[in-house]
């Protein structure tokens, strides 16, 4: 009875085979394949593209708070697959997060932040996550993933009240972060950011009512011109008093359609 | 340019194509939404035959990548008084085809002294697509009414096929409504049933397809003429949402 016969395992010394023919000689014992180094093994050899994506998120500060809006759609390529996904996430009573881009990575970020918030509650030292702290922490997270060449393909908008002042900042998938009074992510930067910035710069501090109307106008514009937009959207308003969520529906104007028959 | 050793014709073509392409850096510099992507009527088009005519319909969105170029497009292009074509695919290609076929049919109707048959119109479209099949990206539906055979719908898809069908769909949005068609279409429906079928189909496709959207333009073609109906985005029938 043969003990442990393994036909694939050679029974003679294959490396130091000393016969003239060197029949088991192989150069593979002397070469290093490019994917053998540790760094290369950790780099994925194919690009990962976002799968289920959220479109644009728009946000700006007004007199006494911040307003964010994002539609409730998760697109699977061009298919409008998941039509009730909330992309604005409340962290605590003065901070919210707006997420655009890959939604599975967005869920990962939400889980990471919720874990942090729970830690704070457990420690019971009275500290609470402020928007600025969250913004800084998100930058570190996104940049770290970028350095590992494994980015979280999401744009994160951090908004809230910092020392009773409105705060608004964005971190993108490369870890590039900035703070502004107006932040739009996705295709909205091309469709809306320019003219909204002009409006906000030239007008004096607008109040909550005007901010809501302006946000409705922005979302309507995105609905007209973004292929991946959806009619239902969520608006979030953060003020010193509370965090308010609303779900709204775009009221588009199609009246030009009849006059534009027989045009291309 | 070397006169003694001229490049072969193919090499010249390749050079030309390289020059007209934008730089490779565009992929990295320009955000994905604004990279030059061909303008296409990523679309939903539907055509149905009924006793006495045809009912055709399309959405109104022309997109370039994820940007909506035109939200009021009219994809129902007349080829003659009683024959329409529905355009899907590259906007430029389909507009050019429609223009050429319009001319050809106009000339033909002068020669024959009678309106051309729907099959002839569809054949003109098919011949063009087939001749330039490697270059054109055009999926068209030709539908109309003629004296000989009444209402007819012909499908002229990408490779240059011509096939007559009682009902047909086209465009990127059509993938989402084949099931609706299989479940809801019955032969010998009345004019109103066909109209509702086309409108519902377009609505369902608009709801799901990112490249289709806006309003629904429909047309009813019969021996008395063409009746155009535009159903605005807010007035589309309600379908399940959430």
């Amino acid at each position: 009875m043969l003990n442990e016969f393994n036909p694939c395992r050679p029974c003679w010394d294959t490396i130091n085979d000393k016969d003239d023919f060197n029949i088991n000689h192989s150069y593979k014992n002397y070469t290093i394949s490019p994917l053998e180094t540790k760094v290369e093994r950790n780099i994925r050899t194919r690009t990962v593209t976002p799968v289920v994506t959220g479109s644009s998120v728009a946000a700006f500060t007004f007199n006494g708070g911040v307003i964010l809006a994002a539609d409730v759609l998760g697109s699977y390529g061009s298919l409008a697959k998941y039509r009730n996904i909330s992309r604005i996430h409340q962290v605590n009573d003065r901070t919210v997060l707006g997420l655009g881009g890959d939604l599975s990575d967005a869920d990962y970020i939400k889980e990471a932040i919720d874990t942090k918030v729970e830690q704070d509650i457990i420690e019971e030292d009275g500290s609470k996550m402020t928007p600025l702290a969250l913004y800084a922490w998100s930058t570190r997270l996104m940049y770290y993933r970028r350095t590992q060449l494994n980015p979280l393909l999401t744009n994160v908008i951090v908004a809230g009240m910092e020392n009773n002042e409105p705060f608004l900042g964005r971190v993108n998938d490369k870890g590039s972060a900035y703070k502004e009074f107006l932040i739009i992510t996705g295709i909205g930067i091309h469709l809306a950011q320019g003219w909204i910035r002009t409006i906000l710069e030239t007008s004096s501090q607008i109040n909550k009512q005007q901010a809501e109307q302006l946000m409705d106008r922005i979302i309507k514009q995105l609905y007209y011109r973004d292929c991946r937009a959806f009619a239902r959207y969520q608006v979030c308003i953060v003020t010193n008093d509370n965090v308010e969520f609303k779900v709204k529906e775009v009221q588009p104007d199609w009246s030009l359609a009849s006059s534009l028959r027989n045009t291309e | 340019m070397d006169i003694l050793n001229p490049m072969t014709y193919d090499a010249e073509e390749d050079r030309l194509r390289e020059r007209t392409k934008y730089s490779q850096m565009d992929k990295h510099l320009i955000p994905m939404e604004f990279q030059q992507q061909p303008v296409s009527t990523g679309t939903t088009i539907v055509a149905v035959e009924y006793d006495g005519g045809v009912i055709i319909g399309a959405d109104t969105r022309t997109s370039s990548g994820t940007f909506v170029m035109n939200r009021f497009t009219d994809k129902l292009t007349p080829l003659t008084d009683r024959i329409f074509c529905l355009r899907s695919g590259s906007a430029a290609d389909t507009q050019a085809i429609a223009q050429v076929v319009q001319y050809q049919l106009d000339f033909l109707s002068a020669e024959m002294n009678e309106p051309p048959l729907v099959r002839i119109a569809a054949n003109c479209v098919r011949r063009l697509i087939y001749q330039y099949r490697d270059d054109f990206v055009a999926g068209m539906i030709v539908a109309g009414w003629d004296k000989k055979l009444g209402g007819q719908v012909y499908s002229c898809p990408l490779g240059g096929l011509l096939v007559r069908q009682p009902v047909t769909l086209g465009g990127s949005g059509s993938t989402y409504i084949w099931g609706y068609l299989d479940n809801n279409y019955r032969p010998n429906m009345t004019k109103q049933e066909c109209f509702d079928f086309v409108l519902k189909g377009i609505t369902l496709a608009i709801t799901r397809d990112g490249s289709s959207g806006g309003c629904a333009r429909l047309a009813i073609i019969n021996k008395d003429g063409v009746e155009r109906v535009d159903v605005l985005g807010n007035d589309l029938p309600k379908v399940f949402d959430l």
Side-chain angles (χ1 to χ4, degrees), chain A residues 70 87-88 93 96 113 149-151 154 158 227-228 235 241 245:
Chain A
R87 299 197 282 124
I88 305 181
D93 60 10
V96 296
I113 289 169
L149 292 177
N150 184 13
T154 322
V158 181
C227 284
R228 310 280 180 258
V235 175
D241 307 320
F245 279 88

Side-chain angles (χ1 to χ4, degrees), chain A residues 50 73 76-84 174 185-191 222-232 249-264, chain B residues 31 33-34 60-78 84 87 95 176 207-215 217 228-230 232-234 239-242:
Chain A
L73 177 67
Y76 189 69
S78 70
L79 168 62
K81 198 167 181 189
Y82 305 106
R83 299 181 293 191
N84 205 20
K174 295 177 187 58
T185 63
I187 198 178
I189 48 179
H190 305 282
L191 298 172
L222 297 182
Y223 180 69
Y224 286 154
R225 294 295 171 180
D226 178 12
C227 284
R228 310 280 180 258
F230 193 62
R232 208 167 46 246
E249 183 110 7
V250 171
Q251 308 298 323
D253 177 16
W254 297 107
S255 52
L256 284 173
S258 334
S259 58
L260 290 171
R261 265 189 211 170
N262 293 321
T263 61
E264 298 299 341
Chain B
E33 302 101 4
F34 268 61
T60 60
R61 179 175 285 186
T62 314
S63 56
S64 171
T66 49
F67 176 62
V68 177
M69 278 272 163
N70 186 355
R71 63 185 178 108
F72 296 114
T73 328
D74 187 358
K75 298 175 191 174
L76 276 51
T77 312
F84 268 65
R87 305 182 289 109
Q95 283 172 20
Y176 306 108
T207 316
R208 285 293 187 178
D209 184 24
S211 319
S212 309
C215 316
R217 291 198 198 272
R228 301 266 328 231
V229 180
D230 293 327
L232 301 188
N234 330 54
V239 294
F240 171 70
D241 198 358
L242 243 86

Side-chain angles (χ1 to χ4, degrees), chain A residues 124-142:
Chain A
E124 284 188 7
D125 56 4
S127 77
K128 256 167 55 162
M129 179 91 76
T130 68
L132 182 61
L134 185 60
Y135 166 78
W137 183 85
S138 314
T139 317
R140 288 298 109 237
L141 172 67
M142 307 297 277

